[in-house]
């Protein structure tokens, strides 16, 4: 994963230049900061709670914990993303940061997508599938360098907004994979206990 991250940064710097990589890095760093606020550490609590419930044979409680945390974090992500969008639109923060408008507006979508992705990965890990969770978590980072290369060949120099949208797209694919992998085990958990 570290090698893929390094390669994607190197490739992006070579094909798009320092201005684009700076704008991309600003948008992703902002999105990651806001994602931490939206997650509230509940991805780690989800692993502990669901894994503990499953280990004790309380499948209904595990399902209920997953549902409650997923809903809470989903609402939190929407609130954080909306707050960011309002701050961006109605304050001079983007001008002061000298950010790319398209990339910075996509930060809200990035927050929502990344939070749902992180909860899915945490739930996979909680089902005693840490290797599968690691593979799903690493997939967007591992796929980014070759896909950036294809993007560059097809369109030339990408804008910061296009690169951020590309990362969001990879996260959406990982979300789909995570929740599809969870579908089968969660169905065996029965109905949630109150």
């Amino acid at each position: 994963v570290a090698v893929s991250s390094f390669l994607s940064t190197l490739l992006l710097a070579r094909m798009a230049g320092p201005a684009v990589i700076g704008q991309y890095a600003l948008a992703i760093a902002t999105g990651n900061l806001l994602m931490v606020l939206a997650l509230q550490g509940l991805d780690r609590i989800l692993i502990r709670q669901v894994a503990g419930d499953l280990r004790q044979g309380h499948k209904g409680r595990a399902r209920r914990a997953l549902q409650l945390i997923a809903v809470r974090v989903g609402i939190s992500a929407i609130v954080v993303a909306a707050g960011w969008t309002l701050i961006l639109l109605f304050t001079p923060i983007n001008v002061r940061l000298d950010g790319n408008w398209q990339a910075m507006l996509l930060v809200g979508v990035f927050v929502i997508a990344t939070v749902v992705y992180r909860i899915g990965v945490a739930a996979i890990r909680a089902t005693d599938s840490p290797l599968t969770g690691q593979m799903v978590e690493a997939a967007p980072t591992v796929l980014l360098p070759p896909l950036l290369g294809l993007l560059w060949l097809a369109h030339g120099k990408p804008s910061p907004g296009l690169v951020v949208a590309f990362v969001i797209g990879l996260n959406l694919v990982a979300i789909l994979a995570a929740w599809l992998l969870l579908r089968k085990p969660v169905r065996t958990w029965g109905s949630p206990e109150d």
Side-chain angles (χ1 to χ4, degrees), residues 34-43 73 76 114-115 118-119:
L34 294 172
M35 180 221 24
V36 169
L37 291 173
L39 268 176
Q40 308 167 40
L42 290 174
D43 54 332
V73 169
S76 176
T114 305
V115 163
R118 293 284 301 265
I119 290 297

Side-chain angles (χ1 to χ4, degrees), residues 25-36:
L26 177 63
I28 295 297
T30 303
N32 282 329
L33 177 66
L34 294 172
M35 180 221 24
V36 169

Side-chain angles (χ1 to χ4, degrees), residues 17 23 59 69 82 93 125-126 138 163 170 193:
Q23 297 296 329
K59 292 181 177 185
I69 290 173
I93 191 167
R125 287 185 170 151
V163 178
L170 288 172
E193 295 176 10

Side-chain angles (χ1 to χ4, degrees), residues 26-73:
L26 177 63
I28 295 297
T30 303
N32 282 329
L33 177 66
L34 294 172
M35 180 221 24
V36 169
L37 291 173
L39 268 176
Q40 308 167 40
L42 290 174
D43 54 332
R44 295 178 190 270
I45 292 171
L46 175 88
I47 294 171
R48 187 189 72 216
Q49 185 66 42
V50 170
D53 288 341
L54 292 175
R55 195 171 29 256
Q56 294 174 2
H58 301 297
K59 292 181 177 185
R61 284 192 352 208
R63 187 174 189 147
R64 179 77 173 150
L66 175 57
Q67 287 176 342
L68 288 173
I69 290 173
V71 168
R72 179 173 176 172
V73 169

Side-chain angles (χ1 to χ4, degrees), residues 101-112:
W101 279 99
Q102 184 184 29
M104 295 304 272
L105 279 171
L106 284 170
V107 164
V109 178
F110 174 84
V111 168
I112 294 168

Side-chain angles (χ1 to χ4, degrees), residues 11-21 148-163:
L11 185 59
L12 188 58
R14 294 290 293 157
M15 70 184 203
V20 171
I21 196 163
L148 278 175
L150 291 173
L151 179 68
W152 181 52
L153 290 173
H155 296 286
K157 181 180 176 180
S159 69
L162 181 61
V163 178

